[in-house]
Amino acid sequence: MRIITSALLDEVSAQAAATPRRRKNHNLHPSDDFCCHRLLNAIEPGSYIQPHRHLDPLKDESMVILRGLLGVVSFDGEGNVTATRVLRPGGEAVAVDIPHGEFHTVLGLAAGTVFFEAKAGPYLPLTAAEKAPWAPAEGDGAAPAYLESLAGLFR
């Protein structure tokens, strides 16, 4: 049995804050090819995850907030925002289940944000068809302005 402690959340948050991408996974599953992925995902403000979808019908994705504030954004196929929600521990919304095929992204809205994520394995990199063609790629010069526009949805 493994216990997820506040100290572990502190450690993963510190690692996220120290990385250029401003996020860090702590996998609970034994390997990338394992059938069920369970992980802690620490994400700091300023981390950009290109909107994407998972096309595999087995890759619905669930997220449960453990600490901080997580902004969740869903989009239609043209990039129009269809829904936003803030997840906060003890708040009205504490989890989200995203069906395969739905474009989405998440944003850390507070320092120290950590959520638990679960989805089917194995890990496979996103394909071109899974990445939102209307959103800048991670590392693209337009990504910071786009991230700022997404963050503005939560102000």
Side-chain angles (χ1 to χ4, degrees):
M1 176 169 58
R2 286 185 277 180
I3 305 298
I4 298 170
T5 64
S6 292
L8 177 57
L9 299 183
D10 291 343
E11 178 183 330
V12 177
S13 289
Q15 291 172 357
T19 68
R21 296 175 79 201
R22 314 263 313 137
R23 62 183 185 268
K24 180 70 176 170
N25 290 352
H26 178 87
N27 294 344
L28 302 171
H29 52 279
S31 65
D32 282 349
D33 63 348
F34 197 69
C35 61
C36 180
H37 284 204
R38 303 164 327 277
L39 56 136
L40 301 176
N41 201 328
I43 185 167
E44 293 293 308
S47 182
Y48 175 65
I49 300 171
Q50 181 181 4
H52 62 281
R53 61 186 173 177
H54 304 283
L55 292 175
D56 183 335
L58 300 177
K59 296 259 185 191
D60 293 356
E61 186 172 15
S62 297
M63 301 173 200
V64 180
I65 190 72
L66 300 175
R67 181 161 70 180
L69 298 171
L70 186 70
V72 181
V73 186
S74 292
F75 307 86
D76 66 18
E78 287 75 49
N80 300 302
V81 173
T82 57
T84 62
R85 197 61 183 233
V86 174
L87 305 183
R88 70 181 79 232
E92 180 182 327
V94 298
V96 63
D97 187 64
I98 300 170
H100 68 280
E102 183 174 320
F103 280 109
H104 63 281
T105 191
V106 297
L107 297 85
L109 300 176
T113 296
V114 182
F115 60 97
F116 174 82
E117 181 177 340
K119 64 183 168 198
Y123 168 76
L124 297 171
L126 293 172
T127 66
E130 292 176 309
K131 296 176 183 178
W134 35 261
E138 186 177 339
D140 184 295
Y146 185 70
L147 175 61
E148 181 56 32
S149 74
L150 294 175
L153 298 170
F154 298 99
R155 292 192 191 107

